[in-house]
Amino acid sequence: MKRSVVFTVLLSILLVSCNHYHFEKAEILYNNGLEKERQEMPDSAIMLYHEALKQLGNSSNNELKGRIYNQIGDLLLKHNIYETAWESYCQAQNVSKNLNDKSNLSHAYRGIGKYHFLYKDRDSALFYFEKPLRFFNNIHNREEQSSVYNNLASAYKQKNDIQTALKYNAKALVLTDNLVKRQRNYAVRGQLFAQQMQYDSALFYLKEASHSQEMSVKASAYFKLAELPKESGINDSLRYHYLQEAYQLSDSIENKAVSHQIDRQEHIRITSTLKEENHTRLILSIIISIIVVLLISVVIFVVYRKYLKRRHEQIFAHKWERQEARAQENENRELHIIEIIRKAGELCSKNFKNSNEYPLLHKKINSDKESLSYEEQKKFQTIILKEFDTYLQQLSSIIPLTDNDAFLCALLQLGFSTKECAACRGISSETIRSQRTRIKKKIPQNFLDRGLAVVILGDENLSKR
């Protein structure tokens, strides 16, 4: 009797020790996964998270399980693997619903809400975003409470309920101590004020958001700053700067996309898990499986071929839509840049024509003399290049210009004919026409197609005058 009691006690101690060992190992793997995420190695992070779950197995440590499932969901959602992310959030919901601390359950509901939000199902998204409010006082993590309000602000913003969105956004800001989340909330707050045409407040919060270390928040803030009207104090030059910064950040974000790596890693993991689970069953049912395979192989082949055909068609259609959208976005950006250059040229031309130098120059080049003297050429070139500096700087970001090229572009903006330009330069009209042709050849083809040549060089018929 005593031996059996001792044996039972020792066995219990051994089981507890093993469980404790697995819990500690799972915690270490989870923390290593977080570190891999910070190092922008999401494929390695995914492997570590699943290994941590495997260590936990059927244990009762549902708090750690919930954290891991939510972290996997966030990572997959970040890299556009929506369906698998949704499954992970559902797992987090299942293991967290009986915990006293509802932080993980709240996180899971928000993850499912974001899944619906990304698929434009606003009602379902709001339904899941509002669920944590039912047990809000049982959410012990202040940052999670802040995230609940933050998601609600985004949902009501999409429904154009600006006042409610601002209310939840303010609550999120009060609760969070995280600088990245705070600046993300600033970006949302700035957009909400912009929709209310409170441009001073919008400008303040969007500028704060533009200092974020998170590239997506920074890019969004720059795009919204570029969209603010002139009443906010954003001039064309500053708008052009914001657009340039935003597009550079967007390109960097796109270049860092690694969703295909995660997707491949998920496929390898799922395949490996299925092999392990089915190994024993396969040995027991090998004879039946062979018979079944022989009977249904033809059907499977036909169905699978049809599936692959539909899948390839869907993938091709999706890629085509993305290419079309990207091409349209580039075209709009280039047209916007051309419009900024055109306005800058008109403004510089208007300012110079109102100066005292313009009548003097116009009189000299239309006098009986064939051209200006060398000293007069240098004098007027210096004055004009200085007056047109803003216009020429923006133009030089697209086209490499020499000083003579820049001088000619400025003269053409003033509406001077080929003969008048030749008089200003002290060269022949034929040389001016050749220089116009060289400048036109320097213009990138995409900007040439959008009409930049007409904006900076004027009508081709001018070369015949």
Side-chain angles (χ1 to χ4, degrees):
M1 182 67 180
K2 291 182 179 180
R3 288 182 179 180
S4 62
V5 171
V6 172
F7 178 77
T8 304
V9 171
L10 290 174
L11 183 61
S12 300
I13 293 172
L14 181 62
L15 289 173
V16 170
S17 300
C18 289
N19 284 336
H20 184 68
Y21 169 77
H22 288 302
F23 292 165
E24 286 187 348
K25 190 172 182 181
E27 187 77 36
I28 292 170
L29 288 167
Y30 171 66
N31 290 326
N32 288 342
L34 294 176
E35 184 59 30
K36 292 297 181 183
E37 275 200 64
R38 284 190 286 270
Q39 295 173 5
E40 296 185 351
M41 299 170 65
D43 48 343
S44 299
I46 282 284
M47 291 179 62
L48 290 166
Y49 292 148
H50 284 296
E51 186 60 31
L53 289 171
K54 191 179 294 185
Q55 288 293 325
L56 291 172
N58 296 321
S59 69
S60 59
N61 192 346
N62 288 335
E63 193 280 330
L64 181 55
K65 284 183 183 178
R67 269 192 289 150
I68 296 173
Y69 278 125
N70 280 326
Q71 196 67 32
I72 291 172
D74 289 347
L75 183 56
L76 293 174
L77 205 64
K78 179 181 177 182
H79 291 89
N80 307 321
I81 307 174
Y82 300 138
E83 302 299 333
T84 314
W86 177 81
E87 293 173 3
S88 188
Y89 287 129
C90 289
Q91 293 280 10
Q93 176 191 338
N94 290 333
V95 300
S96 304
K97 57 187 176 183
N98 294 323
L99 297 175
N100 293 327
D101 182 0
K102 301 299 182 184
S103 298
N104 283 339
L105 183 60
S106 170
H107 192 153
Y109 280 138
R110 289 192 304 102
I112 297 171
K114 284 187 279 188
Y115 166 83
H116 290 291
F117 189 83
L118 291 168
Y119 275 116
K120 309 298 182 184
D121 186 355
R122 297 176 182 175
D123 292 335
S124 297
L126 184 58
F127 172 78
Y128 282 100
F129 285 156
E130 287 181 334
K131 275 202 168 192
L133 295 178
R134 301 175 188 174
F135 47 81
F136 194 80
N137 291 333
N138 292 325
I139 301 173
H140 299 166
N141 189 318
R142 278 173 56 91
E143 290 299 333
E144 176 58 31
Q145 290 179 331
S146 172
S147 296
V148 171
Y149 287 138
N150 183 39
N151 289 148
L152 285 168
S154 298
Y156 279 104
K157 175 176 173 287
Q158 288 295 318
K159 294 173 73 70
N160 290 320
D161 188 348
I162 307 303
Q163 292 302 323
T164 306
L166 280 170
K167 179 186 74 174
Y168 283 122
N169 179 263
K171 290 183 177 182
L173 282 169
V174 169
L175 287 169
T176 185
D177 294 321
N178 185 290
L179 179 60
V180 173
K181 286 177 65 176
R182 180 173 292 276
Q183 289 172 328
R184 195 182 301 141
N185 283 324
Y186 283 155
V188 174
R189 196 166 185 82
Q191 294 170 31
L192 292 170
F193 278 125
Q195 287 182 249
Q196 287 193 319
M197 294 187 288
Q198 298 181 30
Y199 297 127
D200 290 342
S201 298
L203 184 63
F204 171 80
Y205 284 108
L206 288 173
K207 280 188 174 180
E208 288 293 319
S210 70
H211 300 305
S212 174
Q213 294 181 355
E214 192 172 57
M215 286 197 294
S216 60
V217 175
K218 200 169 186 177
S220 175
Y222 278 132
F223 274 123
K224 294 301 178 183
L225 283 168
E227 292 174 3
L228 291 178
K230 289 186 177 180
E231 292 87 336
S232 64
I234 303 293
N235 56 35
D236 287 339
S237 177
L238 196 55
R239 196 183 312 281
Y240 175 77
H241 167 72
Y242 287 145
L243 279 173
Q244 289 289 90
E245 291 291 333
Y247 282 119
Q248 286 179 6
L249 287 167
S250 296
D251 291 339
S252 297
I253 293 169
E254 187 172 322
N255 290 336
K256 287 187 177 182
V258 290
S259 59
H260 62 285
Q261 296 179 13
I262 300 178
D263 206 11
R264 186 171 62 252
Q265 196 61 53
E266 275 293 285
H267 175 73
I268 293 170
R269 182 191 66 80
I270 293 169
T271 303
S272 176
T273 303
L274 287 173
K275 286 181 178 179
E276 291 177 6
E277 292 176 352
N278 292 330
H279 183 69
T280 304
R281 297 175 188 174
L282 183 63
I283 295 174
L284 298 175
S285 60
I286 186 69
I287 298 174
I288 299 173
S289 298
I290 292 174
I291 297 171
V292 172
V293 168
L294 289 174
L295 291 174
I296 66 172
S297 58
V298 175
V299 177
I300 290 177
F301 177 75
V302 173
V303 172
Y304 187 64
R305 283 293 299 272
K306 289 182 179 179
Y307 165 77
L308 283 180
K309 184 178 179 181
R310 288 197 303 271
R311 181 64 177 164
H312 289 159
E313 288 174 353
Q314 290 172 357
I315 292 172
F316 179 78
H318 180 65
K319 286 183 177 179
W320 179 257
E321 288 174 1
R322 288 185 62 185
Q323 288 175 356
E324 287 289 312
R326 185 70 176 177
Q328 184 62 46
E329 182 183 337
N330 288 337
E331 181 178 349
N332 292 339
R333 175 177 61 176
E334 289 158 2
L335 288 173
H336 187 69
I337 292 171
I338 290 172
E339 181 64 15
I340 291 174
I341 291 172
R342 184 186 66 78
K343 288 183 178 179
E346 290 177 354
L347 181 62
C348 292
S349 178
K350 181 180 177 182
N351 291 339
F352 183 69
K353 286 181 177 179
N354 291 332
S355 69
N356 295 328
E357 301 295 338
Y358 176 75
L360 180 62
L361 174 61
H362 195 270
K363 181 179 178 181
K364 284 181 176 293
I365 63 175
N366 286 286
S367 64
D368 294 335
K369 292 175 63 179
E370 291 187 358
S371 63
L372 303 178
S373 67
Y374 180 77
E375 290 75 13
E376 290 173 333
Q377 291 173 28
K378 287 299 180 182
K379 172 188 173 183
F380 283 114
Q381 182 173 356
T382 302
I383 294 170
I384 290 173
L385 289 179
K386 181 178 180 181
E387 189 66 40
F388 279 78
D389 183 61
T390 302
Y391 166 69
L392 294 172
Q393 280 187 10
Q394 294 179 358
L395 191 57
S396 296
S397 67
I398 307 295
I399 311 167
L401 297 175
T402 65
D403 286 345
N404 287 334
D405 291 342
F407 187 33
L408 178 58
C409 289
L411 293 175
L412 292 172
Q413 277 294 310
L414 290 168
F416 284 8
S417 66
T418 302
K419 181 180 177 182
E420 290 170 334
C421 291
C424 289
R425 293 279 315 283
I427 56 180
S428 68
S429 296
E430 189 60 36
T431 303
I432 292 294
R433 293 189 187 96
S434 298
Q435 189 178 1
R436 282 164 55 91
T437 302
R438 287 196 303 275
I439 294 173
K440 185 175 181 180
K441 288 180 179 179
K442 292 181 181 181
I443 301 174
Q445 188 60 46
N446 52 334
F447 282 96
L448 195 62
D449 294 340
R450 308 283 180 263
L452 182 60
V454 176
V455 171
I456 65 173
L457 300 176
D459 195 335
E460 288 291 340
N461 292 328
L462 286 175
S463 63
K464 299 177 182 178
R465 292 171 55 185

